[in-house]
Amino acid sequence: MIRILHSGDLHLEAPLAEWGASAAARREDFWAAFETLLALAARHRAHLLLLAGNLFHSPRPTAAAVERVRTGLDALREQGTHAVLLPGSHDSLLVGDSVYRGEAFPGSTVLRSAPQPVPLQVGEHRVWLYGRSRFGLGSGAAEGGLNRSDAEGFHIGLVHEPEGSAPGSSVLPASEIRRWGLDYVAGGYARRMQELQDDGEILGCLAGSPEGRDFRESGVRCAVLATVGGPATGIETLTTCRRQLTERHLDLNGCDSQADALEKIFALADGELLLRLTLTGQVETPLDCGALTMAAAGKFHYLQLQDQTEFVGGRLAHRLAAGNDFQGLLVRRAQELWKRVEVKQRPVVDAALRELLLRTGLRNGGES
């Protein structure tokens, strides 16, 4: 049997500008995930570390990044684990000066093309490596290259293909994977871990990303430890992220002011938390999420607020509607429209009213 640690889509050196003041720390989190992969491979005595695309965010990573990766992979090789790299959509081999076109990683195997499987001796085990990527050399011919040869040994495929149109779906149908006849297929280009099964038999996995780039990759991130060659392939998930992206809802029902809302947000404070917080409930003041986020700076490692509160049917809205000023006119029009539109469109009307009232200076329970 052989043990395989399988990951991909690490996106080292991604700018992560959307994380604002936390961007630099988040970039280091991604390097920490890389170091965790190395440590997990050594701890579990993996024979192979498979990185199925997008190790880097660019085909032209900095020299410092290349050296840092090479040093880590070389040290891992000395402990008995051989690394296999597949170009991905971001670190594509199709770029003329791609990092994978040279000899940046002489101690590792880079699957540049796949007309024939690549042989590899790992300790006492003979391994045959197959690669398929829409972003690598020979990608058009790679599909046939994944059909198992007659050679003795373990036959392992690495695939970097876009996900299907449905959320979480794969462009790797079980019937196709079964036809290849490989012992394990390591898939990349996936946000979440997914086993590739056929009639209950594990044929491989999509590893998902080891660190979350955005809130589409929330929750615990992991790598796959696969044991191949026994009666059945064994799969274990191992945590790789230093911080996990978290999504929560906060009910602000009855809040009369920004201060009331802020007090409830502060109750969730955690300096290590990367939080997307959805605000819900009937409120008695339009919330200024920009001001709330600024006020909460330092209470969270990162905070993103989404306002889904309701205002149009509250006490303050009805009081404003009775006035003869511009704000009263806005509220009356919004209430009329709210009654006419479909239910699913009502949150849009409510959000527009809250934004307009904020722009006209309404704050804190009706104060302008």
Side-chain angles (χ1 to χ4, degrees), residues 288-340:
D288 185 339
C289 285
L292 289 172
T293 302
M294 290 182 62
K299 300 291 185 180
F300 301 86
H301 190 76
Y302 176 82
L303 176 64
Q304 180 185 117
L305 297 179
Q306 292 190 325
D307 188 359
Q308 294 183 8
T309 57
E310 300 175 10
F311 174 78
V312 71
R315 297 188 309 274
L316 176 59
H318 287 293
R319 178 163 62 84
L320 291 172
N324 293 319
D325 56 5
F326 181 63
Q327 290 178 342
L329 176 62
L330 284 176
V331 175
R332 289 193 298 275
R333 291 290 178 85
Q335 289 175 335
E336 293 169 2
L337 182 60
W338 190 88
K339 293 176 182 178
R340 293 201 308 267

Side-chain angles (χ1 to χ4, degrees), residues 60-77:
R60 308 178 187 90
T62 64
V66 172
E67 177 62 25
R68 188 169 177 178
V69 169
R70 179 171 54 239
T71 299
L73 297 182
D74 287 349
L76 187 61
R77 187 180 71 254

Side-chain angles (χ1 to χ4, degrees), residues 212-260:
R213 275 194 299 159
D214 56 44
F215 284 98
R216 291 172 294 179
E217 300 176 1
S218 60
V220 176
R221 314 307 298 170
C222 62
V224 174
L225 181 66
T227 304
V228 178
T233 297
I235 296 295
E236 181 181 356
T237 56
L238 305 174
T239 300
T240 52
C241 57
R242 179 156 65 181
R243 301 181 182 91
Q244 61 175 290
L245 281 61
T246 303
E247 298 183 271
R248 296 179 184 170
H249 286 71
L250 179 62
D251 185 359
L252 297 181
N253 194 52
C255 280
D256 291 325
S257 67
Q258 289 270 118
D260 290 345

Side-chain angles (χ1 to χ4, degrees), residues 35-95:
E35 298 294 338
T36 297
L37 288 172
L38 300 181
L40 290 173
R43 183 185 312 155
H44 292 274
R45 298 183 179 180
H47 298 93
L48 295 171
L49 170 62
L50 307 182
L51 298 173
N54 290 343
L55 171 60
F56 299 104
H57 190 68
S58 164
R60 308 178 187 90
T62 64
V66 172
E67 177 62 25
R68 188 169 177 178
V69 169
R70 179 171 54 239
T71 299
L73 297 182
D74 287 349
L76 187 61
R77 187 180 71 254
E78 293 178 0
Q79 299 179 69
T81 301
H82 187 90
V84 182
L85 313 179
L86 182 70
S89 56
H90 283 258
D91 52 4
S92 171
L93 194 60
L94 299 178
V95 177

Side-chain angles (χ1 to χ4, degrees), residues 145-282:
L146 268 73
N147 291 322
R148 184 186 183 114
S149 75
D150 295 330
E152 292 291 327
F154 294 99
H155 295 254
I156 308 298
L158 282 75
V159 180
H160 190 84
E161 300 278 353
E163 289 182 280
S165 57
S169 66
S170 169
V171 296
L172 300 177
S175 59
E176 183 177 6
I177 300 173
R178 171 73 74 182
R179 178 174 57 79
W180 295 341
L182 304 179
D183 295 305
Y184 183 81
V185 174
Y189 211 128
R191 294 189 179 276
R192 298 193 178 278
M193 186 271 186
Q194 177 185 341
E195 293 182 358
L196 302 173
Q197 295 189 9
D198 184 39
D199 290 334
E201 179 183 353
I202 296 175
L203 307 177
C205 287
L206 301 175
S209 58
E211 182 67 53
R213 275 194 299 159
D214 56 44
F215 284 98
R216 291 172 294 179
E217 300 176 1
S218 60
V220 176
R221 314 307 298 170
C222 62
V224 174
L225 181 66
T227 304
V228 178
T233 297
I235 296 295
E236 181 181 356
T237 56
L238 305 174
T239 300
T240 52
C241 57
R242 179 156 65 181
R243 301 181 182 91
Q244 61 175 290
L245 281 61
T246 303
E247 298 183 271
R248 296 179 184 170
H249 286 71
L250 179 62
D251 185 359
L252 297 181
N253 194 52
C255 280
D256 291 325
S257 67
Q258 289 270 118
D260 290 345
L262 194 60
E263 183 179 356
K264 288 195 173 186
I265 293 171
F266 278 3
L268 303 175
D270 182 339
E272 290 298 303
L273 191 59
L274 300 161
L275 179 62
R276 180 159 71 180
L277 188 62
T278 300
L279 308 177
T280 63
Q282 180 73 57

